[in-house]
């Protein structure tokens, strides 16, 4: 399954937002985003009217979406793209608009009638003990419509403060799910998400796979809070985490370097690798973090993150990460970030050092040339589960 790759735009106080979303759809087609694999245009909170209609159905705000959601969906579909929308499992959305509690079947059918392709279902204003019931009921309601609607949940995010969520049930119910805080356009926010993910990876990584994915929240690449090195780090690590790639930015005014990064085919190929295994942090050493992800065809993706934020580039000897065992007897190493470079044939005794900028990441793929690779992924994960295991 191709994980969600989309543009997510928050609804603001601007009037006639239908025009904005149509413009974004146009740009996604004209500027190569659709070709790169980004296929959803997603509306976030604040899109509906404060009142349901006489039949109890949600309705779009008449000023922001004067032509309604169905017409917008038709336009997005005409571009070969899909439309995502936002709702909430509780009595109100996080911004205070009508929630779906008590209206799950009505809202699911409304979204299907409009031609919606993705539902982001938030968890505000809901008794946490009823989260599982609410998310499960909306899942059943969506399936009952007969329309294929990708289901994005925030069930574990709202349950973690009280208890460890049941990821077996979550995976059976949702297509992807948020676990931790909202991302902000800052490096400290991105780091906090990485640290939470790594510290809970023994619990959440096994739940990910084709049909269901952990969602560390949106890519903030192309905005203003991250340096370019930090943008490369987010892109690389989200690919290692097998995360849905949801951009939160303005594609009409994005800088060329950010655009090139977001459309980098080699990084997207890692993100969407058909083996469908989520990566994990496998090592922490000398202010470096190493994250590894098993890939199809017996390959490995490796991200080396320089956690220092001052000074200049520092060298990381590539044989110093746990997965390097696949280079017995030999392997081929390709650097994807910060720039593409074929690094040639290496062995377990290689002394090659890769320079990594402060708060930047070197992203590599490693392909064994010969030897038996069977079982390496399983052994590696078991070893990583003992103590400090960190790779992304």
């Amino acid at each position: 399954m191709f994980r969600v790759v989309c543009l997510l735009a928050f609804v603001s106080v601007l009037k006639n937002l239908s025009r904005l979303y149509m413009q974004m759809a146009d740009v996604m087609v004209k500027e190569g985003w659709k070709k790169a694999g980004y296929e959803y245009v997603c509306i976030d909170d604040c899109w509906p009217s404060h009142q349901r209609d006489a039949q109890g159905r949600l309705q779009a705000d008449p000023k922001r979406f004067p032509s309604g959601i169905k017409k917008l969906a038709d336009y997005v579909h005409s571009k070969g793209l899909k439309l995502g929308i936002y709702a909430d499992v509780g009595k109100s959305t996080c911004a205070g608009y009508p929630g779906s509690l008590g209206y799950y079947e009505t809202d699911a059918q409304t979204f299907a009638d409009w031609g919606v392709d993705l539902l982001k279902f938030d968890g505000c204003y809901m008794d946490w003990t009823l989260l599982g019931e609410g998310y499960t009921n909306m899942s059943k309601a969506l399936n009952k419509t007969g329309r294929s609607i990708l289901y994005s949940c925030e069930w574990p995010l709202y349950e973690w403060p009280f208890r460890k969520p049941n990821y077996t049930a979550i995976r059976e119910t949702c297509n992807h799910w948020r676990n931790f805080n909202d991302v902000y356009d800052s490096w400290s926010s991105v780091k906090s998400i990485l640290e939470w993910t790594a510290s809970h990876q023994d619990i959440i990584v096994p739940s990910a796979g084709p049909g269901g994915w952990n969602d560390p929240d949106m890519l903030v690449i192309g905005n203003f809070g991250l340096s370019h090195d930090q943008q490369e780090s987010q892109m690389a690590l989200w690919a290692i985490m097998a995360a849905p790639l949801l951009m939160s930015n303005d594609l009409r005014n994005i800088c060329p370097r950010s655009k090139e990064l977001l459309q980098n085919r080699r990084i997207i190929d890692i993100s969407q690798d058909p083996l469908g295994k989520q990566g994990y942090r496998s090592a922490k050493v000398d202010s470096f973090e190493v994250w590894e992800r098993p890939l199809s065809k017996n390959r490995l993706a490796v991200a080396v993150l320089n956690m220092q934020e001052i000074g200049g580039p520092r060298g990381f000897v590539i044989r110093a990460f746990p997965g390097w065992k696949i280079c017995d007897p030999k392997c081929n190493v390709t650097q994807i970030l910060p720039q593409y470079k074929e690094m040639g044939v290496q062995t377990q005794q290689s002394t090659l050092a890769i320079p990594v900028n402060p708060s930047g990441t070197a992203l590599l793929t490693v392909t064994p040339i010969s030897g038996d690779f069977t079982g390496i992924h399983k052994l590696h994960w078991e070893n990583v589960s003992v103590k400090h295991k960190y790779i992304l």
Side-chain angles (χ1 to χ4, degrees), residues 295 297-299 325-326 328 368 370-380:
L295 301 177
K297 301 179 181 178
N298 292 337
R299 297 169 301 136
K325 66 182 72 174
I326 74 171
D328 182 12
S370 62
D372 184 7
F373 191 63
T374 304
I376 290 294
H377 293 158
K378 182 176 186 294
L379 290 171
H380 189 194

Side-chain angles (χ1 to χ4, degrees), residues 261-291:
L261 175 62
L262 287 162
Q263 293 188 4
N264 187 305
R265 185 67 253 174
R266 293 183 176 92
I267 304 174
I268 293 175
D269 285 346
I270 293 173
S271 165
Q272 307 294 318
D273 184 77
L275 185 63
K277 287 187 175 292
Q278 179 173 335
Y280 45 86
R281 190 168 69 181
S282 62
K284 293 179 72 176
V285 55
D286 191 25
S287 295
F288 285 105
E289 290 189 0
V290 184
W291 296 70

Side-chain angles (χ1 to χ4, degrees), residues 8-316:
L8 187 148
F10 290 95
V11 178
S12 69
V13 296
L14 297 174
K15 294 182 178 181
N16 198 353
L17 285 168
S18 294
R19 185 177 297 113
L20 170 64
Y21 286 91
M22 290 177 181
Q23 289 173 357
M24 291 295 186
D26 292 342
V27 171
M28 287 179 70
V29 175
K30 293 178 181 177
E31 299 295 327
W33 299 99
K34 177 186 173 186
K35 184 177 180 181
Y38 295 89
E39 55 181 343
Y40 290 83
V41 179
C42 300
I43 306 169
D44 213 274
D45 203 351
C46 308
W47 64 267
S49 170
H50 281 285
Q51 301 295 328
R52 292 175 175 268
D53 69 13
Q55 287 73 43
R57 296 173 299 195
L58 291 170
Q59 51 188 345
D61 183 283
K63 293 182 178 179
R64 295 174 182 173
F65 296 91
S67 300
I69 300 301
K70 187 179 188 312
K71 185 172 181 179
L72 176 60
D74 290 344
Y75 186 86
V76 169
H77 293 158
S78 75
K79 299 295 179 178
L81 299 169
K82 300 176 182 179
L83 183 72
I85 206 164
Y86 170 101
D88 193 287
V89 70
K91 64 181 181 180
S92 300
T93 72
C94 297
Y97 292 82
S100 293
L101 182 62
Y103 294 91
Y104 296 138
E105 290 196 3
T106 298
D107 290 354
Q109 190 60 55
T110 297
F111 298 146
D113 292 343
W114 286 345
V116 166
D117 305 290
L118 178 153
L119 172 62
K120 175 183 175 181
F121 211 41
D122 214 332
C124 283
Y125 300 105
M126 181 67 163
D127 182 338
W128 75 269
T129 64
L130 301 177
L131 285 168
E133 179 183 343
Y135 277 101
T136 301
N137 286 340
M138 178 53 93
S139 176
K140 293 176 179 177
L142 291 171
N143 288 334
K144 186 177 178 181
T145 68
R147 181 173 179 81
S148 178
I149 299 177
L150 193 145
Y151 190 32
S152 173
C153 301
E154 308 215 350
W155 176 354
L157 168 63
Y158 289 91
E159 194 163 306
W160 265 113
F162 305 99
R163 68 183 178 194
K164 183 176 77 172
N166 180 349
Y167 279 93
T168 299
I170 291 168
R171 178 176 172 81
E172 290 174 350
T173 303
C174 309
N175 297 119
H176 53 83
W177 48 85
R178 285 277 309 284
N179 295 301
F180 187 57
N181 295 343
D182 291 351
V183 69
Y184 290 92
D185 188 20
S186 75
W187 181 232
S188 61
S189 174
V190 173
K191 287 193 300 181
S192 71
I193 291 170
L194 294 174
E195 182 57 36
W196 188 95
T197 300
S199 63
H200 294 81
Q201 61 188 11
D202 290 352
I203 298 171
I204 68 172
V205 167
S207 69
W213 312 97
N214 291 295
D215 178 6
D217 208 7
M218 298 171 288
L219 295 166
V220 291
I221 297 166
N223 295 312
F224 306 98
L226 303 184
S227 70
H228 189 72
D229 285 310
Q230 292 163 356
Q231 291 185 44
E232 289 184 340
S233 292
Q234 191 190 22
M235 188 70 180
L237 293 167
W238 262 234
I240 293 287
M241 290 189 289
L245 300 182
L246 299 103
M247 303 180 293
S248 178
N249 52 27
D250 187 345
L251 298 183
R252 300 168 302 177
N253 300 298
I254 194 168
C255 80
R257 291 185 76 192
S258 296
K259 177 182 177 182
E260 182 181 10
L261 175 62
L262 287 162
Q263 293 188 4
N264 187 305
R265 185 67 253 174
R266 293 183 176 92
I267 304 174
I268 293 175
D269 285 346
I270 293 173
S271 165
Q272 307 294 318
D273 184 77
L275 185 63
K277 287 187 175 292
Q278 179 173 335
Y280 45 86
R281 190 168 69 181
S282 62
K284 293 179 72 176
V285 55
D286 191 25
S287 295
F288 285 105
E289 290 189 0
V290 184
W291 296 70
E292 303 179 25
R293 179 181 176 185
L295 301 177
S296 58
K297 301 179 181 178
N298 292 337
R299 297 169 301 136
L300 189 69
V302 181
V304 180
L305 170 63
N306 182 354
M307 293 301 294
Q308 289 191 2
E309 298 180 28
I310 59 173
R314 295 191 301 135
F316 181 86

